[in-house]
Amino acid sequence: MDIITTIDLTKKFNDFTAVDHISFSIKKGEIFGFLGPNGAGKTTTIKMLTTLLYPTEGSATLSDFDIIKERDDVRQKIGVVFQEPALDTELTGKENLDFHARMYGLSKDKRKNRINDVLQLVDLVEKKDVLVKNYSGGMKRRLEIARGLMHYPTVLFLDEPTLGLDSQTRRAIWEYIKKMNKEEDTTIFLTTHYMDEADYLCDRVGIIDKGKILVIDTIQNLKNSVGNDVITLSCSELDKFTKRLEKEDWIKNIKRHDLHLTLGVEKGEEKIPAIFEIAHKLKIKIKSISVRKPTLDDVFLHFTGRTMRDFEPESPMKEMAKFYNRRR
Amino acid sequence: MMGREFQAIYVMWLRQMKRFVRAKSRIVASIVQPLFFLFILGSGFRVATFEGVSGDYLHFLAPGIITMAIMFSSMFTGVSVLWDKQFGFLQEVLVAPIKRTSIILGRTLGGATTALLQGFIILIISIALGVRIPDIFGFILMLIMMVLISFTAVGFGLIIATKMNDFQGFQIIMNLIIMPLFFLSSAFFPISESLPAWLKAISFANPLFYMVDGMRGSLTGANNVFPPLVDFLVVFFVCIVMMSLGSYFFSKSEA
């Protein structure tokens, strides 16, 4: 059963198209991830689905409710953890949670228990009576995640849930997301630009870039589409070698990069001698070669033509800016 | 269902109370500023005679200052939605399964409570300075007027907050619209026969005039131009319009 369905969902900001006619559906009970670089349109999509932005074009339903016409019904069904902090810094951590619990109509006993539970989960019990303005960036993030989990939503949206967190907290949060998904049957829609996060958590992944969905599938199928094994090699005369290899039908796909080639193949170890043989005939020198199982990085590279690392020169600065803004 | 809406209104109100109590400097400033007006203007103009002011000038001035205190405080509440927008908290509120009307109601009640507290402090000081309350019905009408003024100002603040993206816009509106309207509201000097016709015309078209005139009529029973009930009806009408517009714009806003 599909819990979210979008048809040609589009959002334009003046001339800039942030989300460009995307159509996809999410099944009830799955963990679905949008994987893409900063500015790909992930957050904008979430904001439309959570009724915070009006789509420019297209439509979507969540739990059979129209996100434009039945906004109040949609909101009943969802929980959201925003990418930017959405806390009242003049209240304490506990007061922020209490505010949320009451907004979502939790009864008195449930409020008390649940607040304690989630505080424990994110390890903020000792800080619960401290004003949020005195929290560090990481603490704020943890509090927000605790808050998003509080009211047992049907669909939980997590926009970059572990951005800027240490690896220990990330692990704990991943485990809890999985637990939520299994035990409460919460459908989870998350966005991330961390490959490991998508790989670990998601049943299915949609790769999104420049406002468009390039592919949606299970992680296994995506990896298979690249090939069972990935061979990376560097050599002299890359272009010539690429042309020659394209004639071999046992190579599922081939991608030429600046300094290396990646080949998707079956039984990679057995193909290495064949590759050397071809290179030898062309008098091409292979400088290095390796075989490995495909990762989401390979998948991403395959569909976008870039690695996530290509975006990174700007992202550390962006994150720093974000932290700076958070503190203000 | 209704329980949840009430719960939400309550917690919105509670949040404002907590923030209000914690912002000590704001409390002090919001009470001290109108007192400055009351004492400085009150003492300075006491020796002057105005056409249309009978009795002590301080008694003429006090209702205007109470109105001003309530107006500014309430408007600040409405505009502080901008704050929530910039700090991201507005998203948390907007994504909750709560009717927009409840969100606005909670915020308005919170704003009205703090504004009325400030209004009462000025009122008590005015009474201590010799302002007399002639009759109980007038006093009750004044209380209702105070609530209406507060709601109107919150509504107006909401309109500004949803139409502006920064505080500069709010400053401009305060300086270029609200302050002149206040000067023309008869809060500081009466709108008497011998004023230029255009000034009178603007004054009588100014909603703030009916607020101040109504407060004056119902509180002191002297120096008012219109019967307090007429003022009340005008203010009531303005209040409905402002609250409706504020709610409409707020419900249409994107986070």
Side-chain angles (χ1 to χ4, degrees), chain A residues 114 152-153 176 179-187:
Chain A
R114 197 72 182 143
Y152 306 102
Y176 201 75
K179 206 169 131 197
M180 282 280 296
N181 173 250
K182 219 170 255 161
E183 288 176 10
E184 325 270 352
D185 201 27
T186 313
T187 308

Side-chain angles (χ1 to χ4, degrees), chain A residues 75-76 88 95 100, chain B residues 4 15 19 22 92 100:
Chain A
R75 289 189 197 112
Q76 293 279 1
D88 187 336
E95 284 169 344
H100 186 86
Chain B
R4 175 186 290 188
R15 169 178 177 243
R19 288 182 66 110
R22 279 167 201 176
E92 153 78 359
R100 293 294 177 260

Side-chain angles (χ1 to χ4, degrees), chain B residues 52 113 173 219 226:
Chain B
T113 310
I173 288 192
L219 176 63
F226 296 108

Side-chain angles (χ1 to χ4, degrees), chain B residues 116 120 123 138-148 218:
Chain B
L116 291 183
F120 272 114
L123 177 67
F139 187 73
I140 292 167
L141 185 62
M142 184 209 61
L143 294 183
I144 300 171
M145 288 284 289
M146 284 167 90
V147 175
L148 288 180
S218 51

Side-chain angles (χ1 to χ4, degrees), chain A residues 176-322:
Chain A
Y176 201 75
I177 291 172
K178 283 219 156 177
K179 206 169 131 197
M180 282 280 296
N181 173 250
K182 219 170 255 161
E183 288 176 10
E184 325 270 352
D185 201 27
T186 313
T187 308
I188 290 169
F189 183 166
L190 62 90
T191 74
T192 183
H193 65 272
Y194 296 125
M195 298 290 174
D196 56 344
E197 188 161 278
D199 206 352
Y200 186 78
L201 282 176
C202 298
D203 299 314
R204 287 194 312 142
V205 165
I207 293 181
I208 180 167
D209 192 22
K210 294 175 185 160
K212 285 189 171 143
I213 295 181
L214 303 173
V215 62
I216 295 181
D217 215 329
T218 62
I219 299 221
Q220 202 48 55
N221 283 349
L222 285 176
K223 285 180 178 171
N224 287 345
S225 70
V226 182
N228 273 350
D229 286 315
V230 175
I231 296 177
T232 311
L233 65 88
S234 64
C235 61
S236 57
E237 297 180 77
L238 263 181
D239 288 322
K240 192 174 161 193
F241 199 40
T242 311
K243 267 197 190 126
R244 174 64 186 81
L245 287 179
E246 272 164 0
K247 288 177 192 151
E248 299 295 325
D249 54 5
W250 48 267
I251 299 176
K252 267 192 180 171
N253 65 68
I254 183 163
K255 266 252 152 75
R256 157 95 160 81
H257 308 285
D258 286 343
L259 297 168
H260 63 277
L261 277 178
T262 54
L263 315 173
V265 297
E266 307 280 335
K267 293 181 188 159
E269 299 85 356
E270 296 170 18
K271 298 299 186 300
I272 289 180
I275 291 170
F276 269 99
E277 216 165 282
I278 296 166
H280 188 70
K281 274 180 198 159
L282 292 172
K283 298 208 167 58
I284 284 170
K285 247 199 193 129
I286 290 177
K287 289 176 196 153
S288 71
I289 189 159
S290 68
V291 185
R292 56 187 167 79
K293 291 284 165 200
T295 63
L296 267 183
D297 273 297
D298 297 308
V299 176
F300 190 81
L301 179 64
H302 178 70
F303 286 101
T304 64
R306 296 172 289 180
T307 64
M308 215 47 133
R309 264 172 257 117
D310 291 341
F311 299 97
E312 262 171 21
E314 59 165 359
S315 75
M317 291 309 287
K318 267 193 184 166
E319 276 176 35
M320 266 169 69
K322 228 168 253 162

